[in-house]
Amino acid sequence: MRSVTIRDVAARAGVSVATASRVLSGHPATSPASRANVDAAVAELGYRPDARARSLRKTRTGTIGILVSDVRNPFFAEIAYAVERRALQAGMATVVCNADESVDQQDRYLDLLVEQRVDAMVIAPQGDGSGTLREVLGLGIPVVFVDRTLADGSDGSDGSDGSDGSGDVSVPSITSDNRTGLREAVEHLVALGHRRVGLIAGPQETSTGRERLRAYREAAAAGDLDPDPALVAQGDFQHASGVAGARRLLDLDDPPTAIIGADSPMTLGALEVLRERGVRVGEDVSLVGYDDLAAFSLVTPALTVVAHDPARMGALAADAVRDLLAGRPASSAVLPAHLVVRGSTGPARRPA
Amino acid sequence: MRSVTIRDVAARAGVSVATASRVLSGHPATSPASRANVDAAVAELGYRPDARARSLRKTRTGTIGILVSDVRNPFFAEIAYAVERRALQAGMATVVCNADESVDQQDRYLDLLVEQRVDAMVIAPQGDGSGTLREVLGLGIPVVFVDRTLADGSDGSDGSDGSDGSGDVSVPSITSDNRTGLREAVEHLVALGHRRVGLIAGPQETSTGRERLRAYREAAAAGDLDPDPALVAQGDFQHASGVAGARRLLDLDDPPTAIIGADSPMTLGALEVLRERGVRVGEDVSLVGYDDLAAFSLVTPALTVVAHDPARMGALAADAVRDLLAGRPASSAVLPAHLVVRGSTGPARRPA
DNA sequence: CCACCTCGTGGAACCGTTTCCATGGAAACG
DNA sequence: CGTTTCCATGGAAACGGTTCCACGAGGTGG
């Protein structure tokens, strides 16, 4: 059952392959008669053009790749959805890939996307911008970072050894303001009298993980919080590490009176632990989440969260891709994040 | 900046294109010398094979498509994730597409996947199996249905006009037992004394929407519930319709004492409405959700839900695809669904 | 009436691979 | 030593489209 090609269509329509191709791609130099014949032949034979062959000859594939860490995280699902939707409007298909918070898998998918010759990529990167990601950036394929970047947000006095190695290639990025969101959260807790505030941090291989941790530390110092390093539990942005992190924090000899989760799956995990232990959220321990999931308003007490806008990030990333593909310079953006105070944060309880 | 091709590699390595190709694809008939030369040339030039050209010559693309209704629905995100993960293990890439609960968009993506010549598709179909979907099924591309099918689950005395038009092509499907789950939910509510049970139903263009509605009606009849048709609010599996449906039900002159949501986004929407109106869930009105999201255990009271296993569905669907691609017959499966009773369902309150 | 331009058309090259087939040399065998 | 077998190799034909180029017919202006 060989599939029907443009040659079959041309034969059936009684025209040359060249003419058939022109009709199919809407080239103006075609007679009405040819058009009718070709269209009829297409319908009769059930012809489906082969996108691979087409794109091999043209330079474009009409496909963009989006590489996020985990589609099961609603935050990234929303981004992927927004990018895809916007891309489809522009007639482009989207390949969604899951790096699964693993650099290896990220590299694997980067290779895949390059080999598929996607026209552009939207990436939520992780790692230090060495290895495969670096190579890929050098290839000249339009890339837009979303949510994360390689270098850190604002200033950057933490560059390990000067020759950072990530900033030489300029990549537009659509991120959100991690510093402000987390700072507001800490200030809010300070105002409520908390002195020992725990953070379930994100992986330090990601800019968001680093920035949120840094903002936490700076705000903690400014608010004169207990700088005990044990108050930072290292997580990996996934559910299980939220569970583990919350347990570790609660098991401290002097446990925190408030906990901040650096993303929503970890926050959910922490919440489960609090429930399981019968800790009253907002009274015994305050909890601040990240990302404003619908479900976060429905738990009791409703969660105080740092909110930002993944749908908008995705849309802007898609716009940036469109600009890049059109040869225009694409602009980066840092979207605002802000604290939404609900019931899960309350006055610090005096340690027993 | 023309990209480097296998010809460049061959030239640099001092071998023919044929030999270079053999080395690259691990063909045994290559000398160690050639291998070394080619590998060196590849590294020096940064050569990346072109998957399109390769797949054009071979017959396989090494890509499968997965077409679900909405990746923002955690249920489908989990399925997509599972399929992708399993496929990657088998060395295949996955293209994720969003039909967005719209037949038009489904058709659009079906065309896209066919033109990309994916080796197989995993589809959560909607519509009546006419139009594009039907054509695609006739193309001989291996297809596996997941979560939904075209025909209805068990018997099927509802086939509108005999010549159903969907059963002629046999497609393996991995679904879950919609009837049992919903029946258990209704029976549970009946046992609690509820007589007027509302359903926020899924779209009747989907098998899951139809089956859950039918199961509701059958169980309602068996349990001697009030058969008032106004108790069924027609939704579309998306959040907003859950909100609208719940409002409509609560605004009835004689509102239901219990509500069942036919999927999780609609359930979440309904829950929001109950909260917003100050209705005490599990006391004033009982609520049963569909899909066992992590967040559903964390709301207060925890939600009674019909649980099933999207991760397993995705994995089985990927296995079925693997079988089909290997020429083996693929087996369908109906996974169990069961009621998980938590705090959101309680004794019926006497209507005021 | 001729030169010119426009327009629809078909032949053929090309995109970057894989793979069939023929070839030549070396090794194995009698 | 001659013949067969084996194996690495290169040339060239696919795969299924698009597009360059040349060509002939018909219309227009001088």
Side-chain angles (χ1 to χ4, degrees), chain A residues 162-199:
Chain A
S163 68
D164 175 343
S166 61
D168 48 0
V169 187
S170 109
V171 175
S173 61
I174 312 295
T175 56
S176 75
D177 181 0
N178 294 294
R179 322 280 306 250
T180 302
L182 208 28
R183 181 170 46 71
E184 285 181 7
V186 173
E187 286 170 356
H188 169 64
L189 292 170
V190 167
L192 288 170
H194 293 271
R195 307 301 316 250
R196 285 179 64 80
V197 172
L199 174 72

Side-chain angles (χ1 to χ4, degrees), chain A residues 1 3 48-56 58-61 63 70-72 77-78 81 84-85 88 91 93-98 100 105 108-109 111-112 114-117 132 135-136 138-140 268 271-272 275 294-295 297-300, chain B residues 1 3-4 48-56 58-59 61 63 70-72 77-78 81 84-85 88 91 93-98 100 105 108-109 111-112 114-117 132 135-136 138-140 268 271-272 275 294-295 297-300:
Chain A
M1 174 159 144
S3 73
R48 306 270 183 166
D50 185 320
R52 300 165 303 168
R54 192 208 324 265
S55 75
L56 192 56
K58 305 181 140 197
T59 352
R60 294 247 175 133
T61 51
T63 303
D70 190 353
V71 277
R72 290 176 309 172
E78 187 75 45
Y81 176 83
E84 187 216 12
R85 192 184 168 81
L88 191 63
T94 308
V95 183
V96 181
C97 306
N98 266 313
D100 231 350
Q105 188 134 331
R108 196 157 171 185
Y109 270 120
D111 281 333
L112 184 103
V114 170
E115 295 184 2
Q116 296 285 347
R117 299 294 192 264
T132 308
E135 285 173 41
V136 170
L139 252 36
L268 227 38
L271 188 51
E272 283 171 25
R275 282 293 166 79
S297 311
L298 297 175
V299 300
T300 312
Chain B
M1 176 159 139
S3 74
V4 24
R48 305 270 183 164
D50 185 321
R52 300 164 305 167
R54 194 211 318 272
S55 75
L56 189 57
K58 307 181 134 191
T59 352
T61 52
T63 303
D70 190 353
V71 277
R72 290 176 309 172
E78 186 75 45
Y81 176 83
E84 186 216 12
R85 191 184 170 81
L88 191 63
T94 308
V95 183
V96 182
C97 305
N98 265 314
D100 230 349
Q105 188 135 332
R108 196 157 172 186
Y109 269 121
D111 281 333
L112 184 104
V114 170
E115 295 184 3
Q116 296 286 347
R117 299 292 192 265
T132 307
E135 285 174 41
V136 169
L139 252 37
L268 226 39
L271 188 53
E272 284 171 24
R275 282 293 166 78
S297 313
L298 297 174
V299 300
T300 311

Side-chain angles (χ1 to χ4, degrees), chain B residues 251-273:
Chain B
D251 286 342
L252 288 177
D253 288 338
D254 187 7
T257 59
I259 295 178
I260 302 176
D263 84 340
S264 65
M266 295 195 304
T267 302
L268 226 39
L271 188 53
E272 284 171 24
V273 171

Side-chain angles (χ1 to χ4, degrees), chain A residues 4-10 13 15-31 34-43 45-50 54 58, chain B residues 115:
Chain A
V4 23
T5 78
I6 199 173
R7 256 163 270 268
D8 303 323
V9 171
V15 299
S16 73
V17 176
T19 300
S21 171
R22 273 186 287 257
V23 170
L24 288 170
S25 49
H27 192 288
T30 49
S31 70
S34 298
R35 276 197 288 270
N37 287 333
V38 170
D39 288 343
V42 164
L45 297 175
Y47 168 71
R48 306 270 183 166
D50 185 320
R54 192 208 324 265
K58 305 181 140 197
Chain B
E115 295 184 3

